[in-house]
Amino acid sequence: MERPEGDQVLLKIAYAGVNGGCETFRCRGSSYTPFVANQKAEKFVLGAEASGTVVAVGENVKCLKVGDAVTCSGSGGFAEFIVASAQSCFPVKEASAEAVVLTLSGLTAAVALKATGGPLKAGEHALVTAAGGATGHMGVQLALLAGCHVVAVCGSAAKAERLRDLGASRIINYREEDVGEVLRREYPEGIDVAYEGVGGPLRDAVLDNLSEHGRMLVVGYISEYPHVKPDDGEAQGSGGLPPSRELFWQRQTVKIGGRTIYGDVWSGASRQDIPAFRRELFDLYEDGQLKAWVDSRRFHGLEQVSDAIEYMLTGQAIGKVVVSF
Ligand SMILES: NC(=O)c1ccc[n+]([C@@H]2O[C@H](COP(=O)([O-])OP(=O)(O)OC[C@H]3O[C@@H](n4cnc5c(N)ncnc54)[C@H](OP(=O)(O)O)[C@@H]3O)[C@@H](O)[C@H]2O)c1
């Protein structure tokens, strides 16, 4: 086992989260992403986020001690033990599965909706796609907490029911209703802020129905990821926007008239701002104002990581898919 040095800590992992984007890109080393080097690499880290307990610290670590519960992102997660920099760890009360949900999925929604495309104003029309998913249900709740009217788009009756319990104002199950048609009919003045992670025709339907000064946050484009489409072919733009993958990986911000489309949902915050966003999320959660959904299907150990990723990619999961160790 690696020993932590300098400002590193050794963590015993309790739960690792399955992330909608990172896992497919990392595993396949997709050619247009920063993970391209993985295609030739013999060894690379998998997993985007985890919770665990500190079991050893490097000689320079002052802020953490053995026994502390933390979450961390950016150092892997699909492992029994990982070495992470102390700065990438966030102390938590308990190394739980819910803490994993807040760490990256929740944080992404918070930065996108409070900083990059925010702040949201009470009464604005907010729309969230993949709304029953890990980052989506966070986006729905943060928009509701800001006093928005929230349109939640999802792909199953089970997700719709859970989103109703959260208090979403209008739920569109895209397997039963045409999203573009509903938006044109019920929201003629348009959507003010969209948190959009699906891409493809859904991205176009949302873009077509953005209000005059609307903001669209392109958090991802999972319907076009490598598990659906080979990633080496030509990609088409639409509606005046470049292809999602270009918008996303080149971190473009595009203006179409008064509308703003953000390809990088993190662009509104600096690295130094992140701990405050995370603290606020955990406070809301601990205060009972925010729910962190963990999917009910259980996966355990390294041997079930690929099953957990495949399951997330089926689109059935509600909230975050986690693997326990
Ligand atoms: N930019 C960032 O830092 C960041 C961080 C976290 C997540 N993301 C992105 O946010 C999106 C959601 O990620 P997540 O981790 O929260 O996952 P998730 O929403 O928990 O799971 C993925 C969901 O996407 C929807 N989906 C639509 N078409 C799909 C397809 N062809 N294949 C698989 N799923 C499909 C499904 O829900 P419905 O059928 O109900 O729509 C599915 O449940 C992804 O695009 C991801 O890359 C980005």
Side-chain angles (χ1 to χ4, degrees):
M1 194 184 308
E2 268 182 88
R3 295 201 57 76
E5 293 172 359
D7 74 341
Q8 295 176 326
V9 294
L10 178 67
L11 302 180
K12 183 176 190 318
I13 299 301
Y15 295 95
V18 175
N19 192 285
C22 296
E23 318 311 356
T24 53
F25 289 122
R26 272 178 228 248
C27 295
R28 299 186 190 216
S30 303
S31 52
Y32 53 87
T33 76
F35 303 120
V36 61
N38 289 1
Q39 284 176 352
K40 296 210 171 98
E42 289 176 4
K43 186 179 163 191
F44 54 88
V45 168
L46 282 173
E49 60 215 330
S51 65
T53 307
V54 177
V55 290
V57 299
E59 61 279 12
N60 300 334
V61 175
K62 303 277 180 276
C63 55
L64 292 171
K65 59 181 187 318
V66 170
D68 284 351
V70 297
T71 68
C72 80
S73 57
S75 302
F78 297 139
E80 290 169 351
F81 294 88
I82 64 170
V83 171
S85 75
Q87 285 83 355
S88 69
C89 297
F90 180 76
V92 290
K93 285 187 177 153
E94 194 191 341
S96 62
E98 286 76 10
V100 175
V101 184
L102 298 167
T103 294
L104 204 51
S105 308
L107 183 68
T108 311
V111 171
L113 295 173
K114 286 172 181 282
T116 311
L120 301 179
K121 295 184 206 75
E124 282 194 309
H125 289 159
L127 178 144
V128 179
T129 61
T135 197
H137 81 290
M138 286 283 146
V140 168
Q141 293 179 88
L142 292 172
L144 285 170
L145 283 169
C148 294
H149 172 103
V150 181
V151 181
V153 181
C154 68
S156 77
K159 288 181 196 181
E161 199 179 317
R162 295 283 300 273
L163 288 161
R164 205 163 291 122
D165 291 346
L166 276 189
S169 321
R170 172 67 160 99
I171 297 153
I172 310 175
N173 177 346
Y174 64 79
R175 295 186 202 278
E176 292 177 353
E177 293 186 278
D178 182 284
V179 175
E181 219 174 275
V182 172
L183 296 179
R184 276 190 296 280
R185 191 176 60 236
E186 298 181 23
Y187 300 91
E189 67 287 21
I191 293 296
D192 300 304
V193 59
Y195 187 59
E196 206 298 279
V198 172
L202 193 49
R203 174 186 103 158
D204 297 343
V206 173
L207 183 64
D208 283 349
N209 289 282
L210 217 51
S211 69
E212 207 183 319
H213 296 284
R215 299 91 81 193
M216 182 156 94
L217 295 142
V218 178
V219 63
Y221 51 101
I222 195 165
S223 68
E224 303 172 58
Y225 286 176
H227 69 293
V228 180
K229 289 183 179 177
D231 59 8
D232 46 3
E234 284 286 303
Q236 300 294 322
S238 57
L241 276 188
S244 295
R245 74 184 198 196
E246 199 176 304
L247 195 65
F248 184 88
W249 291 104
Q250 293 179 15
R251 302 179 172 194
Q252 297 173 0
T253 298
V254 176
K255 282 282 214 185
I256 302 179
R259 304 175 176 93
T260 312
I261 292 86
Y262 298 93
D264 177 8
V265 301
W266 295 92
S267 59
S270 69
R271 191 174 281 271
Q272 289 86 328
D273 300 330
I274 296 300
F277 279 101
R278 207 169 254 156
R279 186 66 270 154
E280 195 186 346
L281 269 183
F282 275 81
D283 287 348
L284 286 170
Y285 171 72
E286 283 159 16
D287 198 37
Q289 295 187 62
L290 193 65
K291 293 190 168 62
W293 289 350
V294 175
D295 185 77
S296 57
R297 192 147 156 202
R298 295 285 159 245
F299 296 94
H300 182 75
L302 283 176
E303 55 286 355
Q304 290 193 341
V305 167
S306 56
D307 295 340
I309 296 172
E310 292 290 350
Y311 172 61
M312 181 278 295
L313 291 174
T314 66
Q316 294 167 48
I318 300 182
K320 189 92 188 160
V321 178
V322 298
V323 181
S324 59
F325 286 92

